[in-house]
Amino acid sequence: MALKHEPTTPYHSAQDALRVLETVARHTAGVTDAELARETGLGTERLTSLLPMLRREGYVEQTSDGVYVTGEALGRLGSAHHHEEALRDKLQQTLDRLRDSVGAAVYISRYVDGEVKVTQYAAGPATPAVNEWVDFRYSAHATAVGKSLLGQLDHNGRRDHLSRHKMARLTSRTITSDALLLSRLEAQPPTVPVLDLQEYAVGTVCAAVPITAGSSVGCLALSLPVEHAHRLRQAADTLNRNAAPVLLSLAI
């Protein structure tokens, strides 16, 4: 019988991963599993789930002696030169992998200077991106991305955004009431994906999960054609469970 463990949030996974990376970086000659467990305070089971992710992402490497050393990806991101380019490339690799694992187009979005901005995405022939028929900056009330970002603001921040962007009816499902949207945002648990069930565009469903790094508000999202709506919640849960590498890249 399998034991059911409490889920670990992407934020906590990223924080634990940073502790591992800091420890590996201190040991220039390499560090063993046992030393990692002792110095990070993380249990063997926790490390067993973190280390494969860190190796897959290229942040650590395991030598023929079985010790862990810093990986090439960590060196590129840790360098002051070309950091933004390295970060963009690393995030794109992660998004491409997420797209394939969840079977949906995936997006990173940030709330920058009071506006919703999709900064990167990964799509393909079998996983088409959303047709941006209305600029995402003006449709936060109707998209999973927008609602996830607004949900991470305080009440005044949400009201400020809505005062600058009229809530237009984009489909028959779009919420156009400030009071209703604000109450929905207030009631949304932070660990539960935000959904868009054809509120932005007929024929498309979406989900988004928060990826807040420091004071920067962001989210990771996916979209599916409505004929795949039955996969939305499972895909959103998979996205949420695999958000840690994105958060980790942003935090390094």
Side-chain angles (χ1 to χ4, degrees):
M1 182 179 71
L3 294 176
K4 185 176 181 181
H5 297 283
E6 287 295 316
T8 305
T9 67
Y11 174 81
H12 289 133
S13 292
Q15 291 299 304
D16 288 348
L18 280 173
R19 287 163 66 186
V20 173
L21 292 181
E22 288 165 358
T23 304
V24 172
R26 285 199 305 271
H27 292 261
T28 54
V31 59
T32 65
D33 297 73
E35 289 170 328
L36 277 174
R38 184 173 65 252
E39 294 187 28
T40 61
L42 301 172
T44 303
E45 185 179 357
R46 187 80 187 99
L47 285 173
T48 301
S49 66
L50 282 174
L51 286 168
M53 181 271 283
L54 292 172
R55 291 177 65 186
R56 185 182 68 240
E57 296 293 327
Y59 291 132
V60 300
E61 296 173 5
Q62 192 171 24
T63 70
S64 57
D65 297 332
V67 299
Y68 292 93
V69 295
T70 55
E72 185 181 349
L74 185 61
R76 285 200 303 268
L77 278 181
S79 171
H81 296 295
H82 310 297
H83 172 76
E84 289 303 317
E85 181 183 350
L87 176 59
R88 188 169 185 83
D89 289 347
K90 188 73 192 75
L91 288 174
Q92 194 61 50
Q93 292 172 13
T94 304
L95 288 178
D96 290 345
R97 190 180 299 119
L98 276 172
R99 173 200 60 204
D100 296 340
S101 65
V102 302
V106 293
Y107 313 77
I108 294 177
S109 184
R110 311 294 286 276
Y111 196 71
V112 182
D113 298 328
E115 301 295 349
V116 172
K117 182 178 182 182
V118 174
T119 54
Q120 279 179 259
Y121 71 95
T127 53
V130 173
N131 173 32
E132 190 178 352
W133 75 285
V134 176
D135 193 315
F136 291 140
R137 290 176 297 174
Y138 310 127
S139 53
H141 64 291
T143 65
V145 158
K147 287 185 286 184
S148 178
L149 295 176
L150 291 179
Q152 296 174 64
L153 304 179
D154 61 20
H155 184 75
N156 289 337
R158 296 169 189 167
R159 291 210 69 91
D160 171 71
H161 184 93
L162 297 179
S163 72
R164 291 182 287 110
H165 297 295
K166 178 177 171 56
M167 295 172 60
R169 184 175 297 281
L170 306 183
T171 76
S172 62
R173 294 172 176 262
T174 306
I175 296 174
T176 56
S177 160
D178 284 24
L180 179 56
L181 180 64
L182 288 169
S183 69
R184 293 270 181 91
L185 293 175
E186 193 68 36
Q188 175 74 28
T191 56
V192 176
V194 178
L195 304 182
D196 156 20
L197 305 176
Q198 301 189 86
E199 295 168 56
Y200 172 75
V202 174
T204 301
V205 294
C206 306
V209 296
I211 50 166
T212 303
S215 60
S216 176
V217 171
C219 73
L220 192 60
L222 65 85
S223 66
L224 288 167
V226 70
E227 55 265 30
H228 293 286
H230 61 283
R231 292 202 296 115
L232 182 62
R233 290 185 186 277
Q234 183 178 1
D237 288 341
T238 302
L239 189 74
N240 200 20
R241 287 197 306 273
N242 290 280
V246 177
L247 262 172
L248 186 57
S249 297
L250 293 172
I252 291 173

